[in-house]
Amino acid sequence: MKEQQLKVLLIEDNVAISNNIATFFDNRGAIMDFAYDGEQGASLALAHFYDCIILDIALPKKDGLAVCQELRNKAERHIPIIMLTARDTLSDKVTGFELGADDYLTKPFELEELYLRCLAITQRHQSQSQSKQLQLGKNETELVLDFASKRVLRAGAEIHLQPIGFAILRILMEAYPRAVSRSELCDKIWGDEPTDSDALRSHFYQLRKVLDKPFAKPIIKTIHGVGFSLTF
């Protein structure tokens, strides 16, 4: 059975541990980014899309607990976090969970267990998101997409979308803050069915007409040569 591909940010200052995790995850098809201090880790986590974050507590510049708290306060989406630490007292674990960690693994640990826990929290988060709704942005840019009712709200106002427009917005919201290419959008929406070259352009025009034009700040961004993304 093919392993699920994960995009993981590892924030760990111990190079030997980082290399061991990287080798194990790479052999299972994971895409890895690395940070060796808390400030760099928080910056990467807020700027890029990751399925999950492996976060050590004892980090230079900013410890893992402070990083976890910053991500929960500033990130526009819930990023699954597994804390990785030598601290194994109950109070340490309680603090980590209170600050928003999804899971906790104490050193020393088995690499396979770490990988399986990353898979589990990623799949749990995806399942919860798909059964409820996606929410991004704040105030006027706040965007809510409800899976069950197929409703879209921006700043509390209901936005009426056609099925393709809803599908495009869902893909962009699930990928945020990553940009999505035209080929990825076409593949996810139409699959192998032949698609007119102007179809995607037309649907984006209609989507912008109802989602951006009535508001002061547009949130759909075209990145020339790359694709499309949301900006808040």
Side-chain angles (χ1 to χ4, degrees):
M1 183 174 68
K2 184 179 179 181
E3 299 276 7
Q4 176 181 336
Q5 187 178 58
L6 294 176
K7 185 169 184 182
V8 180
L9 173 62
L10 173 59
I11 310 175
E12 166 64 70
D13 65 321
N14 186 306
V15 176
I17 292 176
S18 183
N19 288 342
N20 286 339
I21 294 173
T23 299
F24 190 90
F25 277 52
D26 183 66
N27 288 337
R28 281 148 185 79
I31 301 169
M32 302 288 293
D33 278 352
F34 306 91
Y36 298 97
D37 65 66
E39 289 184 358
Q40 181 189 30
S43 178
L44 284 172
L46 291 170
H48 303 282
F49 175 88
Y50 298 102
D51 290 307
C52 67
I53 295 173
I54 302 171
L55 176 61
D56 187 33
I57 285 185
L59 293 168
K61 296 187 179 180
K62 182 179 292 186
D63 70 31
L65 295 174
V67 172
C68 184
Q69 186 173 36
E70 180 177 357
L71 297 184
R72 292 297 177 245
N73 290 338
K74 294 183 179 180
E76 299 286 357
R77 56 179 287 267
H78 181 88
I79 312 169
I81 296 173
I82 179 168
M83 303 291 284
L84 193 63
T85 178
R87 304 177 187 177
D88 60 357
T89 66
L90 179 59
S91 62
D92 289 328
K93 293 181 180 180
V94 169
T95 301
F97 286 127
E98 286 179 342
L99 292 175
D102 296 271
D103 202 354
Y104 204 105
L105 190 59
T106 304
K107 300 175 182 177
F109 55 86
E110 294 292 333
L111 291 170
E112 185 171 6
E113 181 179 3
L114 176 61
Y115 179 77
L116 291 174
R117 289 194 182 208
C118 287
L119 269 181
I121 65 172
T122 298
Q123 292 170 347
R124 184 168 67 244
H125 173 63
Q126 292 174 346
S127 176
Q128 290 171 347
S129 296
Q130 290 171 1
S131 64
K132 298 178 182 177
Q133 60 180 216
L134 292 171
Q135 183 172 344
L136 298 171
K138 297 176 182 178
N139 301 323
E140 188 192 359
T141 64
E142 183 184 55
L143 191 60
V144 179
L145 183 148
D146 188 278
F147 294 97
S149 67
K150 301 296 183 182
R151 295 179 70 212
V152 173
L153 302 174
R154 177 168 177 187
E158 186 162 2
I159 307 296
H160 298 281
L161 298 179
Q162 297 298 318
I164 297 297
F166 185 91
I168 290 172
L169 184 59
R170 175 174 177 168
I171 293 167
L172 293 178
M173 291 182 73
E174 288 176 337
Y176 178 82
R178 176 177 66 88
V180 182
S181 68
R182 288 174 172 80
S183 60
E184 181 180 348
L185 281 163
C186 290
D187 182 64
K188 287 184 175 180
I189 295 170
W190 291 288
D192 295 330
E193 298 178 11
T195 307
D196 184 89
S197 60
D198 291 328
L200 188 61
R201 185 183 299 109
S202 175
H203 285 296
F204 262 97
Y205 173 80
Q206 296 298 328
L207 183 59
R208 282 189 166 104
K209 187 176 179 180
V210 294
L211 192 64
D212 278 349
K213 287 191 176 183
F215 300 90
K217 182 180 178 181
I219 59 175
I220 301 175
K221 182 179 181 181
T222 299
I223 305 174
H224 295 290
V226 178
F228 306 90
S229 69
L230 295 175
T231 179
F232 294 95

